[in-house]
Amino acid sequence: MTAKPIFVATHPRACSTAFERVWSMYPILESFQLTRPTQVFMTRHNDMTCIHEPFGDAFYYGTERLGERFENNESARQGSGFSNSTYKTVLDRFDRESEEGKRLFIKDMIYYLVPPNRKPPSIAPSLLRIKRGVGTSGTTDGESNNKNGTCASGTPYPYDTEPEPNNPTVVPEAILRKFHFTFLIRHPGKSVPSYYRCMVPPLDEITGFYNFLPNESGYDELRRVFDWLRSTGQIGPEVAGEDNSQPADGEKSSGVEICVIDADDLLDDPSGIIRAYCKSVGLDFHPDMLVWDTEEDHQRAVHAFEKWKGFHEDAIGSSDLRPRMHHKRPKTPIKEDHTWAEKFGEEAANLIRDTVNANIEDYEYMKQFALRPAPET
């Protein structure tokens, strides 16, 4: 089992912020648990520092930006406060946050690390020839056979840098190996219309996202990064919760199980899924992790999630993560289309349907690895 920084790779509207709130409780719980007599002799090395969606700064606003959303809106980039962000400044933050010795818990959209529309990737200029740790005591060799380490003229991407063979991201493999990757998914029939809702009135005035971009759905990038991590031995071959997923003859274990959470499983059985997740990433499970009902908890959430206004209000206003009382029966595609047309109009419903259909195969591929709830012991 590793003590690497945990990186929850996900896509938009996967209930990931509610999942993240569980871990924002972890430092408090650790100090609280140590006061209990039965815990006195336990050593705690896994206190968590949560970092919420940090790579969006570089992806949308910075000098190495990959995203097209704000490319023609310099005032928005400047007003964000992140116009000078690079992929290196994000990683530098991880180093600062790790100085207290707590284990990092990072949740982010993996497409922030991948050029959109399957453009060929190359290493971000700021990450060339650096030797660094990422929340660990080790060093990382991020060297690349770069020509000159500058961005091409005009828009930042494509960079005038060399790619790494088969690496779908703009971050060197040597850096990515410092993270303990896990994954969170949700059926696109739920995530895509939820994301669309954030791009239209009245929420668009809060989010600042005024148009829906299907290439921000994130499933294609999630699957490609997932497969690449497996192929390079960074995760697997063991699958979390599967007793029969041992390495084959001659196959080497990465020490990091394949760990994929489906949001519906999380909502149906929060304690069972979180218990199984804790076991996979090497953390103790406490039932109190699922409750955050004090004013201090609320203010911590407001501060952590304020950067992406309008996207996390439900999670901010929540007080716990409990099993949903009523399981929603799946709608037929015809009923879904009707619902979306009523909410957003016929043209929007068609766009949502096309986007959902384009991502179902990638979702179902990831779903086959989904974590099963762990029973109470």
Side-chain angles (χ1 to χ4, degrees), residues 27 34 38 53 83 117 183 185-186 267 284 322 350:
L34 282 171
T38 56
E53 300 181 15
S83 60
N117 302 318
F183 303 84
I185 59 173
R186 189 185 187 191
L267 295 176
D284 292 327
R322 65 180 67 183
N350 291 335

Side-chain angles (χ1 to χ4, degrees), residues 40 44 64 79 86 102 145 164 174-175 193 245-246 330 334 360 373:
V40 168
R44 304 283 185 166
E64 296 175 331
T86 66
K102 297 178 182 179
N145 295 320
E164 286 188 343
I175 292 178
S245 63
Q246 298 303 310
I334 292 177
I360 285 178

